Amino acid sequence: QVQLVESGGGLVQPGGSLRVSCAASGSIFRIGAMGWYRQAPGKQRELVAGIISGGNTNYADSVKGRFTISRHNALNTMFLQMNSLKPEDTAVYYCNAKDVLNGQDYWGQGTQVTVSS
């Protein structure tokens, strides 16, 4: 099993920056690709950014050029640096990891990011 714990959410003004973190524990060797998802009130959960073990990344069009996903394997931690935040970025942000052995998805509990003046 893998446990994921997010941290770093909060309230930020439009145009501001925030970094959220995801700490993984447990059977770390089972983790393959990781990613950040978000879910705004009344909307479906959507992929924000993903990163594979080799370091390749992908981003939703809405965050390209503003968000950066990174992964520190030695610390078992993933980050999402969010710059030039907009009110529409307001959502609960979830950490996701995929099990390389059985394809299972692991999820964190989520961290709230609110962009408002």
Side-chain angles (χ1 to χ4, degrees), residues 1-103:
Q1 285 291 330
V2 173
Q3 294 79 44
L4 303 172
V5 178
E6 301 98 334
S7 61
L11 173 65
V12 62
Q13 292 187 341
S17 297
L18 203 62
R19 188 177 80 160
V20 290
S21 303
C22 172
S25 61
S27 301
I28 303 298
F29 66 93
R30 300 182 73 109
I31 295 177
M34 298 186 73
W36 287 98
Y37 288 71
R38 68 185 180 188
Q39 188 166 19
K43 294 188 176 181
Q44 290 189 332
R45 191 173 298 189
E46 62 175 358
L47 175 66
V48 176
I51 185 166
I52 63 174
S53 300
N56 287 350
T57 59
N58 63 286
Y59 296 91
D61 288 342
S62 59
V63 306
K64 280 181 181 176
R66 300 188 297 122
F67 290 11
T68 302
I69 188 172
S70 61
R71 185 170 173 177
H72 197 307
N73 291 326
L75 297 178
N76 300 321
T77 305
M78 178 177 65
F79 305 97
L80 183 68
Q81 177 66 43
M82 303 181 286
N83 299 327
S84 303
L85 282 161
K86 305 175 181 179
E88 51 263 44
D89 293 318
T90 295
V92 177
Y93 283 70
Y94 295 92
C95 173
N96 170 270
K98 298 196 182 297
D99 192 312
V100 295
L101 299 181
N102 61 19

